[in-house]
């Protein structure tokens, strides 16, 4: 093993970090502090050639290969034990073409980097709600955020990608080149190759009329019922999620609410700024407001508003299923468990995915749940390991209570490691085609540290059982 790694180090121009290096501890860490993997080597790639070298080494020597963009994957798919990690954190360049309204981002860019670069031209593409999330993993899984109702999923705005495939070749995938690969990469996650850069379509988005409104949990039933009606028919310029949080220590929320369970509505109006106050007013009227911040702000500022509260290293466990409607039964479950939100970092969010998402047919990209109205997540995050057991139990019980009101599948980017067995539900009618594209581009399942799609005809793998072992899933 050492000689293989030494050989790899030489071929990647020294950009390899191994257990003997001083920065190994920092280099092996991903966002979720629960993940404690020890890769043989983290390669901080500087170019496409080094990516191909890592892919070739992993394939030729039978080593596990993890790919890390922003490192935000809840199950920690951006690292592995004993294998090679391709770490894109040194490849973060973003180039904007304001005339063509496109941007190309290298695979290590975060949403803060991409949004800031495009904002300089009054442009944006739909991304996530947190600035430190990587563009790579979010885009490949679908991509949901404030601009989703108006402009679709992030992957709906992808124009092309540069990809290193399992055989070490570098190809372009787009609507005109390698179309099957391009189809699979728009929602199929990291299963099909290592994407080195993403080209996005941009839209005019500049100053937005943002709203962050907190209510007592006791008002949550009225707020949820109103939100459900409003978001069903609101103009698509309005993008906002409903959530359940502990009151955070922010200046616009009086101290008496800090740490108490609360209901929130957070989002933005991207239409005519003059209409902003009227678009938010109903949410200020529907119930007594505990604290609010409603007003114009640059889009990147809203995107980064929660970053400081959500630092790398928090312990995390997530679960999710799509909702075709926010039924009374689902609202009851949200009220029951929303009262027990266990930490200030925990984010129970219900993202609307109606509007532009639903104008794309379910088979047009790998992302299948185009008929769902909401993509919720129970994202539990906390600091104290002593809370691991009770917090994981809270997420599982919450998810179980929501299950009767949910679709069979969920959004793969909101899934944890123990949800690998739900991959067929998550891709539903698109699964067979995904397995067939996988068999074509990655027949040996080199790219398996992800929500794994087995090549057609091969057994399904689970790489991240809770006990850390690797074995085929027991699907009985
Ligand atoms: C605080 C926080 C906020 C979030 N908010 C949102 C949100 O608003 N909307 C949303 O949709 N999701 C959100 N997510 C979920 C997010 O989409 C996923 O965690 C996503 O995987 C993060 O991408 P990443 O590049 O940071 O992750 P990484 O951990 O680096 O990668 C995740 C997986 O993506 C694949 N991957 C990464 N880079 C590449 C590459 N270059 N080529 C091929 N495959 C690759 C790999 O399979 C990897 O295992 C959030 C997550 C966190 C932690």
């Amino acid at each position: 093993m050492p000689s293989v790694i030494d050989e790899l180090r030489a071929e990647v121009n020294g950009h390899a970090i191994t257990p003997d290096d001083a920065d190994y501890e920092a280099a092996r860490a991903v966002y979720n502090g629960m993940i404690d993997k020890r890769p043989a080597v983290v390669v901080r790639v500087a170019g496409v050639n080094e990516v191909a070298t890592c892919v070739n080494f992993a394939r030729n020597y039978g080593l596990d290969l993890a790919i890390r963009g922003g490192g935000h994957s809840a199950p920690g798919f951006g690292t592995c034990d004993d294998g090679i990690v391709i770490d894109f954190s040194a490849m973060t360049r973003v180039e904007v073409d304001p005339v063509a309204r496109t941007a190309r981002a290298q695979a290590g860019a975060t949403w803060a980097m991409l949004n800031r670069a495009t904002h300089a031209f009054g442009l944006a593409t739909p991304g996530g709600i947190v600035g430190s999330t990587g563009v790579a993993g979010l885009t490949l899984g679908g991509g949901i955020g404030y601009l989703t109702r108006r402009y679709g999923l992030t992957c709906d705005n992808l124009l092309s990608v540069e990809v290193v495939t399992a055989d070490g070749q570098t190809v372009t995938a787009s609507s005109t080149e390698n179309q099957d690969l391009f189809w699979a990469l728009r929602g199929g996650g990291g299963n099909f190759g290592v994407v080195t850069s993403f080209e996005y379509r941009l839209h005019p988005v500049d100053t937005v009329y943002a709203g962050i409104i907190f209510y007592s949990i006791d008002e949550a039933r009225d707020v949820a019922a109103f939100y459900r009606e409003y978001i069903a028919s609101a103009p698509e310029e309005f993008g906002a999620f409903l959530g359940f949080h502990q009151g955070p220590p922010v200046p616009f929320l009086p101290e008496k609410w800090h740490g108490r369970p609360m209901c929130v509505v957070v989002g933005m109006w991207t239409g005519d700024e003059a209409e902003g106050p009227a678009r938010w007013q109903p949410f200020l009227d529907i119930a007594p407001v505990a604290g609010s911040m409603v007003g114009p702000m640059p889009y990147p500022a809203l995107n980064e508003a929660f970053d400081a509260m959500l630092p790398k290293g928090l312990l995390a466990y997530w679960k999710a299923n799509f909702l075709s409607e926010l039924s009374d039964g689902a609202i009851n479950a949200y009220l029951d468990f929303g009262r027990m939100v266990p930490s200030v970092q925990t984010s129970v969010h219900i993202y609307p995915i109606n509007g532009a998402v639903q104008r794309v047919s379910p088979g047009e990209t790998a992302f299948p749940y185009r008929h769902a109205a909401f993509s919720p997540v129970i994202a539990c995050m906390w600091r104290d390991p002593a809370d691991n057991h009770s917090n994981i139990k809270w997420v599982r019980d919450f998810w179980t209570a929501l299950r009767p009101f949910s679709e069979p599948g969920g959004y793969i980017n909101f899934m944890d490691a123990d949800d690998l067995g739900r991959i067929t539900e998550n891709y539903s009618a698109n699964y067979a085609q995904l397995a067939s594209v996988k068999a074509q581009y990655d027949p040996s399942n080199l790219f398996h540290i992800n929500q794994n799609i087995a090549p057609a005809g091969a057994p399904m793998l689970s790489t991240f059982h809770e006990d850390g072992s690797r074995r085929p899933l027991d699907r009985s």
Side-chain angles (χ1 to χ4, degrees):
M1 174 72 80
S3 62
V4 172
I5 300 302
D6 289 346
E7 200 186 322
L8 175 60
R9 189 194 299 275
E11 291 210 21
V12 295
N13 309 302
H15 298 135
I17 303 165
T18 53
D20 294 336
D21 290 313
D23 49 351
Y24 177 75
E25 286 304 313
R28 77 184 180 92
V30 290
Y31 181 82
N32 183 353
M34 299 271 267
I35 309 300
D36 184 25
K37 304 273 175 192
R38 300 189 67 83
V41 57
V42 177
V43 181
R44 209 157 268 168
V45 288
V48 177
N49 58 323
E50 294 182 6
V51 173
T53 299
C54 292
V55 167
N56 291 335
F57 263 75
R59 189 190 61 245
N60 293 340
Y61 291 100
L63 295 169
D64 271 350
L65 180 66
I67 314 163
R68 189 187 306 164
H72 267 210
S73 151
F77 289 144
T79 188
C80 60
D81 274 329
D82 303 324
I84 300 173
V85 173
I86 296 178
D87 175 357
F88 275 103
S89 60
M91 288 178 66
T92 60
R93 197 173 61 243
V94 177
E95 288 166 3
V96 182
D97 181 338
V99 177
R101 289 189 174 169
T102 61
R104 181 170 284 281
Q106 287 187 317
T110 62
W111 284 101
M113 294 171 188
L114 179 55
N115 289 335
R116 287 177 183 209
T118 62
H119 185 71
F121 303 97
L123 300 168
T125 201
I129 67 150
V130 168
S132 56
T133 306
V135 300
L138 184 139
T139 303
L140 294 169
I144 293 167
Y146 300 120
L147 289 168
T148 302
R149 290 186 77 237
R150 186 167 189 189
Y151 296 121
L153 301 170
T154 307
C155 71
D156 297 340
N157 290 276
L158 199 56
L159 295 173
S160 71
V161 284
E162 182 182 73
V163 194
V164 176
T165 49
D167 58 5
Q169 301 300 307
T170 303
V171 302
T172 297
S174 69
S175 59
T176 54
E177 283 179 83
N178 297 300
Q179 291 101 325
D180 48 357
L181 181 58
F182 190 53
W183 175 86
L185 286 167
R186 286 174 292 161
N191 274 284
F192 303 95
V194 187
V195 177
T196 52
S197 69
F198 298 79
E199 185 193 10
Y200 298 97
R201 180 186 303 117
L202 304 178
H203 307 274
V205 178
D206 199 344
T207 297
V208 300
Y209 213 87
I212 306 176
I213 306 178
F214 284 89
Y215 312 86
S216 159
I217 192 79
D218 296 331
E219 310 297 341
R221 188 179 300 281
D222 288 345
V223 175
F226 177 75
Y227 172 85
R228 169 174 68 189
E229 300 308 319
Y230 193 85
I231 208 70
S233 58
E236 290 173 9
E237 292 92 328
F238 190 82
F241 65 83
L242 174 70
F244 295 83
H245 274 261
Q246 281 188 5
V250 290
F252 60 89
L253 186 65
E255 206 173 324
K256 69 170 184 167
W257 295 106
H258 296 179
R260 287 171 61 182
M262 308 205 74
C263 175
V264 297
V265 176
V266 181
M268 63 192 199
W269 167 254
T270 56
D272 182 353
E273 194 179 319
E275 288 180 42
R279 295 293 172 186
W280 280 104
Q281 193 59 42
F283 286 96
L284 298 171
D285 294 338
I286 181 65
V289 170
S292 69
M293 188 169 73
V294 180
M297 68 169 75
Y299 172 60
L302 180 62
N303 173 245
E304 295 171 42
F306 306 113
D307 286 26
M309 269 182 52
L310 298 171
K312 182 175 176 178
L314 290 172
L315 307 167
Y317 180 76
W318 294 30
K319 237 168 158 58
N321 270 46
F322 293 106
L323 296 177
S324 55
E325 59 168 340
L326 187 55
S327 63
D328 289 344
I331 290 177
N332 286 339
Y334 277 107
L335 295 186
D336 289 347
F337 285 86
R339 285 186 183 282
M340 298 184 277
V341 168
S343 69
V344 75
Q345 297 89 3
T346 292
S347 307
V348 176
H349 290 175
I350 304 167
Y351 298 102
I353 54 169
N354 58 352
V357 180
Q358 297 181 339
R359 285 196 289 278
V360 177
S361 72
E364 205 169 318
T365 70
F367 187 96
Y369 272 88
R370 302 285 181 170
H371 62 284
F374 300 100
S375 181
V377 64
I378 309 165
C380 193
M381 293 176 272
W382 64 97
R383 287 190 189 279
D384 187 350
D387 297 331
N388 289 1
H389 177 75
S390 61
N391 286 354
I392 289 172
K393 181 174 177 345
W394 174 78
V395 175
R396 288 180 175 159
D397 290 349
F398 193 165
W399 178 81
T400 303
L402 279 170
R403 193 114 209 233
F405 314 104
S406 305
E407 294 283 328
Y411 172 36
I412 62 145
N413 276 350
F414 291 164
M415 298 268 162
D416 220 300
D418 53 358
D419 277 324
L420 281 163
R422 297 174 53 213
I423 198 81
T424 49
E425 287 84 9
N426 298 339
Y427 286 111
S428 59
N430 286 343
Y431 187 80
Q433 190 176 341
L434 282 163
S436 147
V437 177
K438 177 80 172 175
Q440 187 188 341
Y441 284 92
D442 184 19
S444 68
N445 208 355
L446 177 66
F447 306 115
H448 59 261
I449 299 180
N450 42 44
Q451 295 289 346
N452 194 234
I453 294 161
M460 288 189 179
L461 284 182
S462 173
T463 52
F464 276 74
H465 282 276
E466 279 172 280
D467 63 2
S469 64
R470 278 184 65 183
R471 54 180 182 259
L473 277 180
D474 177 2
R475 299 184 57 79
S476 59

